[in-house]
Amino acid sequence: MTALSYQLYSSRLFPPLTDTLGMLADIGYTHVEGYGALVSDPAAMDALERGLADTGLTMPTCHVGLEMCESDPGGVTDIAKRFGVETIVIPYIMPDDRPVDADGWLAYGARLEAVANAFGQSGLSVAYHNHDFEFRALGDGTLPMDLILSAAPSVQFEYDVAWAVRAGADPMAPIDRYGSRIAIAHLKDIAPEGEALDEDGWADVGHGTMDWPALFNALKQAGTRYFVTEHDKPSDHHRFAKRAFVAAQSF
């Protein structure tokens, strides 16, 4: 059985958190992945700590914004120690903050490298999580994702495969290119065109249009350590969590 993680952002609309953690443990999940709002709210962190202790779930990876990592590295390190986090994942760049050319993306990668070097002194690793825009070519033909990782050799890659597909990318190409640097993968799926519009066109992993058995096995062979199920807007988080878990065990 594959030990799976669950991105808690998927259940942000279905409180309370402690019930979500109990649900995940009952289904069979081993890990969870935190996100920014949980680790910037003292009450949410207290609930998370209680829930992890009660269920036995662990949180080896957590999304934290780059600005927080740069402005309060000591606070982020304390959060990591509190929850047993191994890898801090930089999750997103707001549209107004996105570079517009190759030099800008290289500079952004250099910021990630500096953060990775700082956290490395405390035994923490850093990864970067993509959306679609990092896989859309710039005017000179380069990909922001390639530029980021070339400028940040100490940074791992959390590969959100479905977002790359939404950008029109070949989902296997980054696996071939980056191999074991893909330490974490997000398992999500894409609904057939015109379906699941209330869920922004996403599908439960294994129930959409992507060839997840082939992708999953390629990622495992490449050395990916953590597989994190995610759905950006499920109408029923229990349905998603259960179906994703069952599907992933069959890959």
Side-chain angles (χ1 to χ4, degrees), residues 102-116:
D103 287 343
W105 284 108
L106 289 170
Y108 182 79
R111 290 173 65 189
L112 296 179
E113 180 70 6
V115 167

Side-chain angles (χ1 to χ4, degrees), residues 46-65:
D46 288 345
L48 179 60
E49 187 172 41
R50 290 195 305 272
L52 294 177
D54 289 344
T55 60
L57 293 165
T58 64
M59 194 170 81
T61 65
C62 183
H63 285 194
V64 181

Side-chain angles (χ1 to χ4, degrees), residues 127-204:
Y128 182 78
H129 167 272
N130 69 280
H131 287 76
D132 53 349
F133 54 87
E134 295 94 341
F135 282 94
R136 297 191 189 281
L138 302 175
D140 63 0
T142 57
L143 286 180
M145 195 70 245
D146 292 339
L147 296 167
I148 290 170
L149 294 179
S150 69
S154 302
V155 174
Q156 299 174 344
F157 185 14
E158 179 174 72
Y159 183 24
D160 193 310
V161 188
W163 271 118
V165 171
R166 279 205 165 176
D170 172 359
M172 284 291 188
I175 304 173
D176 295 337
R177 183 172 178 81
Y178 293 109
S180 61
R181 197 168 176 186
I182 304 174
I184 315 160
H186 271 192
L187 310 185
K188 63 171 54 160
D189 216 326
I190 299 173
E193 186 173 357
E195 296 185 14
L197 299 182
D198 62 324
E199 298 188 327
D200 291 345
W202 299 113
D204 302 343

